């Protein structure tokens, strides 16, 4: 019987509005480039994999400005090339600048509040484990989910980014619950799944777009499905 559930934050509990694909499409249109959002989604999937691999080696936001700029140029290039767009270095940089400076807000996915409400009925401890460096406590208050949470662990507070075991062990220690009694839900195979697995936490992939080809881990397409998982324990 599970006693605690940890969640990734971005793309698991919250999403950007406008979406990254919408912002990217608008930025491309500004420079006369037409691309559909489905192809951009495929680009983001590969670019985010690149982000997580690089981040696990050397945290992106701890690099100097020159190295960060170089990384995000490659990140943007991957998105565009996967979407079938080949443009000059100058245009890639301009598109990324448009994307980066476009205002956006964080919103909860529709399944978050119903799921958290049900989990509390199961008397489960609930936490967030994230590489996000924003003030998550204030964000969760703004999103009105802070009362559901027992712990929030950010990589910048621990000194290690997911998938490093330290960040997961810190969360476990704060709740004083053994790893084999804990689930971790996230959307990233490396940082979420591999990270949780290496410390003995049961990992679940959240694949909202139903595009994952992963076969080594349990997959859900909505957080609502967690209820079914708990009822089978």
């Amino acid at each position: 019987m599970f006693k605690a559930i940890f969640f990734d934050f971005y793309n698991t509990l919250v999403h950007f509005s406008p979406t990254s694909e919408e912002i990217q499409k608008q930025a491309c249109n500004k420079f006369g480039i037409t691309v559909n959002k489905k192809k951009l989604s495929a680009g983001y999937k590969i670019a985010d994999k690149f982000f997580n691999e690089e981040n696990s080696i050397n945290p992106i936001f701890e690099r100097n400005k020159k190295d960060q700029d170089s990384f995000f140029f490659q990140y943007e290039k991957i998105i565009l090339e996967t979407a079938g767009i080949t443009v000059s270095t100058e245009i890639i940089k301009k598109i990324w600048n448009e994307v980066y400076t476009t205002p956006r807000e964080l919103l909860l996915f529709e399944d978050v509040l119903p799921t958290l409400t049900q989990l509390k009925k199961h008397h489960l401890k609930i936490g967030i484990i994230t590489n996000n460096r924003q003030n998550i406590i204030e964000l969760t208050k703004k999103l009105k989910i802070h009362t559901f949470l027992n712990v929030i662990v950010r990589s910048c507070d621990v000194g290690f980014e997911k998938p490093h075991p330290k960040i997961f062990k810190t969360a476990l220690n704060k709740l004083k619950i053994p790893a084999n009694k804990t689930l971790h839900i996230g959307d990233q195979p490396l940082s979420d799944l591999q990270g949780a697995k290496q410390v003995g936490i049961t990992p679940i992939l959240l694949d909202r777009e139903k595009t994952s080809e992963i076969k080594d881990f349990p997959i859900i397409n909505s957080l609502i499905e967690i209820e079914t998982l708990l009822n089978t324990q």
Side-chain angles (χ1 to χ4, degrees), residues 126-194:
I126 301 171
I128 291 174
I129 301 177
T130 178
N131 287 342
N132 193 301
R133 291 166 177 260
Q134 293 176 277
N135 188 332
I136 303 299
I137 292 176
E138 288 304 313
L139 284 174
T140 58
K141 287 180 179 179
K142 181 179 178 181
L143 295 165
K144 299 181 179 179
I145 60 171
H146 62 289
T147 56
F148 293 99
L149 303 173
N150 300 100
V151 66
I152 296 173
V153 179
R154 300 184 305 166
S155 60
C156 57
D157 296 326
V158 176
F160 295 94
E161 304 261 337
K162 293 187 295 182
H164 196 283
K166 181 69 174 179
I167 189 171
F168 292 94
K169 288 180 179 179
T170 297
L172 290 170
N173 290 338
K174 285 180 178 290
L175 290 186
K176 295 179 169 50
I177 292 176
N180 62 1
K181 299 292 184 182
T182 308
L183 284 169
H184 178 74
I185 315 293
D187 68 302
Q188 290 298 321
L190 175 60
S191 59
D192 291 311
L193 304 188
Q194 297 291 349

Side-chain angles (χ1 to χ4, degrees), residues 4-178:
I5 296 185
F6 295 124
F7 292 93
D8 173 46
F9 189 61
Y10 177 63
N11 265 352
T12 298
L13 298 179
V14 300
H15 63 94
F16 283 130
S17 178
T19 67
S20 296
E21 289 84 358
E22 288 169 340
I23 292 171
Q24 187 78 224
K25 190 173 188 295
Q26 291 170 6
C28 286
N29 287 344
K30 184 170 183 177
F31 296 97
I33 300 166
T34 302
V35 61
N36 67 56
K37 287 196 291 185
K38 186 175 182 179
K39 288 184 177 181
L40 288 173
S41 293
Y44 268 105
K45 185 175 181 180
I46 295 175
D48 286 344
K49 182 175 183 291
F50 169 64
F51 182 101
N52 279 278
E53 289 172 347
E54 284 287 312
N55 201 54
S56 68
I57 298 168
N58 180 15
I60 307 303
F61 294 105
E62 292 180 9
R63 301 181 188 186
N64 60 45
K65 186 179 185 304
K66 180 180 177 181
D67 288 345
Q68 284 190 36
D69 289 345
S70 176
F71 169 81
F72 283 112
F73 168 79
Q74 292 298 328
Y75 181 86
E76 178 66 30
K77 186 178 179 184
I78 289 170
I79 294 169
L80 295 175
E81 289 186 347
T82 304
I85 298 168
T86 302
V87 292
S88 68
T89 296
E90 181 183 2
I91 295 298
I92 292 172
K93 290 179 178 179
K94 287 182 177 180
I95 292 174
W96 174 251
N97 186 62
E98 284 291 321
V99 170
Y100 185 76
T101 57
T102 297
R104 67 195 80 185
E105 62 177 326
L106 281 175
L107 300 177
L108 291 175
F109 285 104
E110 292 182 358
D111 55 3
V112 173
L113 283 176
T115 297
L116 295 180
T117 300
Q118 286 301 111
L119 294 181
K120 278 300 183 184
K121 290 181 180 179
H122 284 276
H123 305 292
L124 288 158
K125 300 292 185 182
I126 301 171
I128 291 174
I129 301 177
T130 178
N131 287 342
N132 193 301
R133 291 166 177 260
Q134 293 176 277
N135 188 332
I136 303 299
I137 292 176
E138 288 304 313
L139 284 174
T140 58
K141 287 180 179 179
K142 181 179 178 181
L143 295 165
K144 299 181 179 179
I145 60 171
H146 62 289
T147 56
F148 293 99
L149 303 173
N150 300 100
V151 66
I152 296 173
V153 179
R154 300 184 305 166
S155 60
C156 57
D157 296 326
V158 176
F160 295 94
E161 304 261 337
K162 293 187 295 182
H164 196 283
K166 181 69 174 179
I167 189 171
F168 292 94
K169 288 180 179 179
T170 297
L172 290 170
N173 290 338
K174 285 180 178 290
L175 290 186
K176 295 179 169 50
I177 292 176

